[in-house]
Amino acid sequence: MSSLVVLSNEKGFNLARRTAYLLNAEFAVVEQKTFPDGELYLRIPLDVRGKIVVPVWSIKEEINNDLVSLMLVLDTLWDLGAKKVISVVPYMPYARQDSRFKDGEALSIVTIAKLLRAVHSDYVVTVDMHLHRIGDPRFVFGEKIINVSGVDAIADYIKNRHPQLGGKAIVVGPDEESEQWASRLGMLLGLKWVVLEKERYSAEEVEVKLRESMPREAEKAIIIDDIISTGGTIESTVNLIRKLGLNEIYVYCTHPVLSASGLYKIASLGLADYACTNTLPSPISTIDVSGVLASSIKNLA
Ligand code: R5P
């Protein structure tokens, strides 16, 4: 195999450095500055000619800047003679706009996919991509996208950290789309799972309802979702579960987007534990997904 180089933006540093270590690859952070007019300056600080290059780009908060910086990096890598480029976009932004909910809306994720294809990456690896209407990311990105899951790492974390969480716990998915994560986590932990029904009234206001009865033996709940953004979904789910008499509640998710007062909301809920994976940096990104990324990259390199 040709030599491997892992690059990252500042936000991807922790995840990328761990991934590079597991791959025994060279590692560097791409130099990035912002000019006074808002334009970005990017520089790749090592020689990539003839190498397999893996840019790990965590996209959060300044989403549009992060996307443009990724495009600049991808195009520059080809120009500098990289042999193969495997982009890792652990959290794919704009994926929630995968449908035209009102006439005239942009199909944002389709445009993002076109832009990423235009700058050319041999493969794009992402984690638990949120494509609820479309389902399979390959319908938008083509065959060269690999969607891995953070749920196995979440299960390992729970087993190590809370080995006492046994038969009396139930896994809860807040909405229909979370069934894939709730069922996988339930299977890995040997627990039953239930999936709720969710209605969203505004960015922060959601209502969840039971769509089947809660198993009688359940005394504790483990809520799993792909994203925590404003925290509205988790707050409503916790309130419902408490009304049902389950007071020991654990919350886990893949992507800590944590917009608005999301982190504050989660921290105020009196949870037994809460944590997310390190696809995005945050004070609660304590579950490491570098292992799953490294395995996927090894298969593609
Ligand atoms: C939505 O379908 C997602 O799976 C998450 O439930 C949602 O993005 C969470 O957002 P928030 O924290 O703002 O409720």
Side-chain angles (χ1 to χ4, degrees):
M1 200 206 299
S2 312
S3 53
L4 262 175
V5 175
V6 172
L7 297 173
S8 80
N9 58 350
E10 289 283 347
K11 292 171 200 169
F13 177 81
N14 267 314
L15 179 59
R17 194 184 48 169
R18 286 166 185 264
T19 308
Y21 174 77
L22 294 175
L23 292 168
N24 202 14
E26 274 181 275
F27 171 65
V29 176
V30 170
E31 282 176 37
Q32 182 172 331
K33 290 179 209 159
T34 305
F35 288 112
D37 62 358
E39 289 178 2
L40 299 176
Y41 164 92
L42 270 296
R43 178 176 170 268
I44 291 158
L46 43 72
D47 182 16
V48 294
R49 184 162 298 279
K51 296 180 184 170
I52 300 172
V53 187
V54 182
V56 176
W57 229 246
S58 283
I59 296 182
K60 187 178 182 181
E61 286 154 10
E62 303 99 346
I63 284 174
N64 301 317
N65 264 5
D66 292 343
L67 275 168
V68 171
S69 67
L70 175 61
M71 310 279 170
L72 293 174
V73 164
L74 292 179
D75 209 29
T76 307
L77 289 173
W78 290 113
D79 215 28
L80 297 176
K83 181 179 165 202
K84 190 187 260 189
V85 177
I86 303 169
S87 314
V88 179
V89 183
Y91 170 67
M92 185 63 74
Y94 286 106
R96 283 178 283 183
Q97 188 73 30
D98 62 347
S99 180
R100 195 162 272 143
F101 304 98
K102 286 188 196 154
D103 288 349
E105 284 180 350
L107 277 174
S108 312
I109 192 60
V110 174
T111 307
I112 297 300
K114 282 183 193 161
L115 288 169
L116 280 173
R117 280 207 300 267
V119 282
H120 189 81
S121 196
D122 285 293
Y123 294 98
V124 178
V125 178
T126 190
V127 186
D128 290 329
M129 186 166 165
H130 183 109
L131 278 181
H132 288 177
R133 272 64 49 176
I134 292 174
D136 189 333
R138 286 176 298 185
F139 294 139
V140 190
F141 284 82
E143 290 300 314
K144 300 293 180 71
I145 186 149
I146 319 295
N147 187 24
V148 299
S149 180
V151 174
D152 290 34
I154 293 174
D156 287 344
Y157 169 94
I158 296 172
K159 281 186 205 156
N160 288 329
R161 183 99 177 216
H162 304 291
Q164 84 289 356
L165 254 177
K168 298 276 161 92
I170 180 124
V171 176
V172 180
D175 51 27
E176 204 186 316
E177 295 82 13
S178 65
E179 176 137 29
Q180 53 191 303
W181 302 296
S183 57
R184 174 97 190 137
L185 188 63
M187 206 189 72
L188 292 167
L189 297 177
L191 299 175
K192 289 187 182 159
W193 64 88
V194 292
V195 171
L196 310 179
E197 205 176 291
K198 176 166 97 179
E199 193 155 348
R200 183 174 286 284
Y201 301 113
S202 70
E204 296 211 29
E205 247 185 300
V206 299
E207 191 188 344
V208 292
K209 294 182 198 145
L210 274 179
R211 55 175 205 185
E212 59 199 292
S213 59
M214 185 67 83
R216 284 218 188 121
E217 68 275 19
E219 287 177 6
K220 308 166 189 179
I222 304 173
I223 302 172
I224 176 117
D225 205 356
D226 58 339
I227 299 171
I228 299 178
S229 181
T230 64
T233 299
I234 296 298
E235 186 180 43
S236 305
T237 308
V238 167
N239 290 340
L240 175 75
I241 290 174
R242 288 225 166 101
K243 276 194 203 138
L244 297 170
L246 282 70
N247 287 312
E248 194 174 316
I249 302 176
Y250 301 75
V251 168
Y252 302 102
C253 92
T254 305
H255 306 296
V257 170
L258 300 176
S259 40
S261 51
L263 181 56
Y264 176 75
K265 207 177 261 176
I266 300 298
S268 316
L269 290 172
L271 301 168
D273 186 27
Y274 53 99
C276 299
T277 81
N278 55 353
T279 56
L280 297 171
S282 85
I284 56 170
S285 304
T286 41
I287 305 174
D288 183 22
V289 290
S290 59
V292 68
L293 289 179
S295 317
S296 174
I297 294 161
K298 266 185 206 154
N299 289 334
L300 303 171

